[in-house]
């Protein structure tokens, strides 16, 4: 990893180029460590092949069954989560709820991951930029590109910002508990 950083031709780089090179190399290492940490989680899919429960409870209250492939083997779902250092692959077991007609992933609740495939920190950045860019979602996109070094389409910024705003509004409408 560090051999490339100290390669002879890198000494011709400007300060900015050197900083970007080092950031890129270190960030790739950080993503691999995060991926490994999630993989080794006892509640997740680890190398010792923990057997998940056959049935799990869906949020609707119904029972859901473990997803299996055509051979009857446990189906492993893999998805890419974008985070501030790049992206990682997360492997997880899924459960199918026949009442909701959806597959859900219990480990996502523990990790506080949402279906948008962004880390919570990236979702905060996207929705902050979308809500605070006064002129347009194009401005939000430029801010994310320049400040967070992250590219996302303007339509995706708008969708996420609107969705999070609606969820926040619904939460605000709930009555306060009495003390």
């Amino acid at each position: 990893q560090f051999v490339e950083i100290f390669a002879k031709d890198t000494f011709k780089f400007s300060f900015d180029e050197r900083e970007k090179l080092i950031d890129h190399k270190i960030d790739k290492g950080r993503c691999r460590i995060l991926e490994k940490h999630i993989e080794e989680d006892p509640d997740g899919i680890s190398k010792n092949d923990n057997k998940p429960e056959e049935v799990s409870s869906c949020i609707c209250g119904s029972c859901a069954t473990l997803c299996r492939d055509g051979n009857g083997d446990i189906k492993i779902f893999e998805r890419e989560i974008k985070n501030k250092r790049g992206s990682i692959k997360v492997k997880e077991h899924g459960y199918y709820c026949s009442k909701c007609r959806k597959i859900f992933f219990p480990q996502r609740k523990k990790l506080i991951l949402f279906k948008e495939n962004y880390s919570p920190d990236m979702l905060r950045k996207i929705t902050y930029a979308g809500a605070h860019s006064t002129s347009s979602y194009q401005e939000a996109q430029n801010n994310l590109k320049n400040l967070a070094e992250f590219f996302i389409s303007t339509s995706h910024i708008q969708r996420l910002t609107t969705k999070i705003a609606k969820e926040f509004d619904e939460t605000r409408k709930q009555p306060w508990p009495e003390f």
Side-chain angles (χ1 to χ4, degrees), residues 1 16 18 66 77 92 95 102 108 126-130 144 146 163 168 177 179:
Q1 176 178 339
D16 190 46
R18 292 176 192 209
L66 183 64
F77 294 86
E92 51 197 344
Y95 290 84
K102 291 182 182 177
R108 290 184 192 180
I126 294 165
T127 54
Y128 182 88
L144 287 166
N146 292 321
K163 179 182 177 211
F168 177 74
F179 294 99

Side-chain angles (χ1 to χ4, degrees), residues 57-110:
S57 291
C58 180
I59 57 170
C60 74
S62 296
C63 288
T65 55
L66 183 64
C67 294
R68 295 188 175 275
D69 64 17
N71 297 325
D73 297 325
I74 297 170
K75 187 169 183 176
I76 309 264
F77 294 86
E78 183 177 284
R79 67 185 179 133
E80 187 176 73
I81 306 294
K82 295 176 184 140
N83 64 65
K84 62 185 171 188
R85 303 287 182 200
S87 61
I88 64 165
K89 288 190 167 72
V90 174
K91 295 177 183 174
E92 51 197 344
H93 299 115
Y95 290 84
Y96 179 74
C97 175
S98 57
K99 184 177 179 184
C100 296
R101 295 183 181 174
K102 291 182 182 177
I103 296 174
F104 69 92
F105 304 90
Q107 190 180 17
R108 290 184 192 180
K109 185 175 181 179
K110 177 183 178 180

Side-chain angles (χ1 to χ4, degrees), residues 39-61:
E39 182 181 299
E40 294 296 324
D41 188 319
D43 294 332
I45 298 171
S46 63
K47 287 188 176 181
N48 64 5
D49 198 28
N50 287 341
K51 299 294 182 204
E53 298 291 324
E54 286 295 322
V55 177
S56 183
S57 291
C58 180
I59 57 170
C60 74

Side-chain angles (χ1 to χ4, degrees), residues 134-150:
T134 55
S135 62
S136 67
Y137 290 111
Q138 180 67 50
E139 180 185 359
Q141 182 187 49
N142 290 337
N143 287 338
L144 287 166
K145 183 179 169 192
N146 292 321
L147 300 173
E149 297 179 352
F150 176 70

